Amino acid sequence: MSSELQSTLKMNEPLRCAVTAISDLIEESTYASHLKDIQTGKYIQANSRWMENLGFESSNDFIGLNVNDFAAQDGIWTKWNFSPFFNAWKDSIPEKVNELEYQIRTKREVLCGQCLSFTSEGFILIEEWMKLPILSQDRKKAVALLSYNHDVTLRRSLFALFQLYREYHAENNAIRKLLMYLNIDGYFTELPTLEEMNVLLAIHQHYDLLSEKNVSVRKSLQDKVEKDYWHEMLMRLYAVPMNIH
């Protein structure tokens, strides 16, 4: 337990009881989960899934931070060439999170929703979230906030997901990041063009690609894949769940 966390718990007896009671629940959750001091907004505990998404290697890296620290100029989203749309998203996050936490702190009720988020490596996440107040023993005050985030990114079609990457990343980086997300980037000897990416995603959707133009683009796309690995790459692509929304 870090000195920051020990200091926080020493000053807040109800919070110490809450941490003890739900620690195992967080660690065993299949969702990305974390716990906050609801009065200060500081992170107290999180499971490995949540830490991995945000690039933390241990609890010592995030305990005592709040959402303002994450969105700061030297925060967790500094490695990639994001677009102005991303910067607007990042700048709006503290206000949105603080507003939600204020509602939970004052109304002491569970809130649910869906949001767009990013890993520290620039991958897009669509998440369904649930935030629950942890109440004091007399149930008159919220002393902590427990959050669960469920990754539902692949409920979107790859076309819709690619459009999001193009909105929040520079074009070449959007192509590169989606290939990495699909775990097929290693098959390419050269980055596909935008037109070739659209054909690749159409192949995933099993669209009709028999037009002369599409046949030509598919051939140029195939030429950019490591020799003899085209079908292996397609098998990996087809393993990605298909969604039309």
Side-chain angles (χ1 to χ4, degrees):
M1 183 181 296
S2 71
S3 58
E4 175 75 31
L5 179 54
Q6 288 177 333
S7 177
T8 300
L9 298 183
K10 185 176 181 180
M11 295 184 294
N12 193 328
E13 177 63 30
L15 182 55
R16 180 161 65 242
C17 294
V19 170
T20 302
I22 65 177
S23 178
D24 289 344
L25 190 63
I26 292 173
E27 292 297 334
E28 294 170 6
S29 175
T30 57
Y31 302 140
S33 306
H34 65 266
L35 185 70
K36 280 185 171 185
D37 178 344
I38 204 168
Q39 304 303 319
T40 65
K42 292 183 177 182
Y43 292 90
I44 298 169
Q45 186 180 0
N47 63 8
S48 57
R49 186 180 294 270
W50 184 87
M51 288 194 291
E52 181 180 346
N53 283 346
L54 295 180
F56 294 117
E57 295 183 1
S58 77
S59 59
N60 292 328
D61 295 332
F62 70 85
I63 287 176
L65 301 181
N66 60 32
V67 68
N68 297 289
D69 298 312
F70 288 5
Q73 188 173 359
D74 58 349
I76 61 175
W77 295 296
T78 58
K79 298 179 182 178
W80 300 100
N81 182 22
F82 290 109
S83 75
F85 284 100
F86 171 81
N87 293 326
W89 171 86
K90 184 186 73 169
D91 292 343
S92 71
I93 284 298
E95 181 178 353
K96 291 178 179 178
V97 169
N98 291 332
E99 182 178 342
L100 282 173
E101 293 179 2
Y102 175 79
Q103 290 184 49
I104 296 171
R105 185 169 68 247
T106 56
K107 297 182 180 180
R108 301 191 300 277
E109 61 185 21
V110 176
L111 293 180
C112 301
Q114 188 176 102
C115 67
L116 179 145
S117 186
F118 296 82
T119 71
S120 64
E121 295 184 336
F123 294 115
I124 288 174
L125 293 174
I126 308 297
E127 297 180 304
E128 291 180 345
W129 53 262
M130 177 184 294
K131 297 182 181 295
L132 307 89
I134 305 300
L135 303 180
S136 58
Q137 290 183 342
D138 60 10
R139 304 188 65 81
K140 292 182 179 180
K141 181 181 180 181
V143 296
L145 171 63
L146 176 62
S147 295
Y148 294 106
N149 291 63
H150 179 206
D151 183 357
V152 294
T153 308
L154 288 177
R155 291 183 187 174
R156 302 285 182 98
S157 73
L158 294 189
F159 282 108
L161 188 56
F162 186 39
Q163 181 59 38
L164 286 175
Y165 273 97
R166 292 182 64 201
E167 287 180 16
Y168 290 98
H169 286 277
E171 187 167 291
N172 282 349
N173 204 39
I175 293 172
R176 184 177 294 105
K177 296 306 292 185
L178 184 60
L179 292 177
M180 292 172 66
Y181 179 77
L182 299 175
N183 198 26
I184 58 175
D185 57 298
Y187 290 100
F188 287 86
T189 59
E190 185 180 342
L191 200 64
T193 64
L194 177 59
E195 189 176 36
E196 289 165 349
M197 277 297 293
N198 284 326
V199 166
L200 181 67
L201 301 185
I203 291 172
H204 174 264
Q205 297 288 128
H206 301 284
Y207 288 168
D208 182 3
L209 295 172
L210 297 181
S211 72
E212 183 177 344
K213 179 180 179 181
N214 283 334
V215 170
S216 175
V217 175
R218 177 175 174 141
K219 176 64 170 58
S220 67
L221 175 67
Q222 187 169 349
D223 287 343
K224 291 183 177 180
V225 173
E226 192 77 38
K227 186 178 180 180
D228 299 328
Y229 283 91
W230 171 254
H231 292 292
E232 181 177 314
M233 184 276 293
L234 289 183
M235 289 303 100
R236 281 188 178 272
L237 181 65
Y238 289 143
V240 177
M242 184 168 62
N243 207 312
I244 60 174
H245 300 295

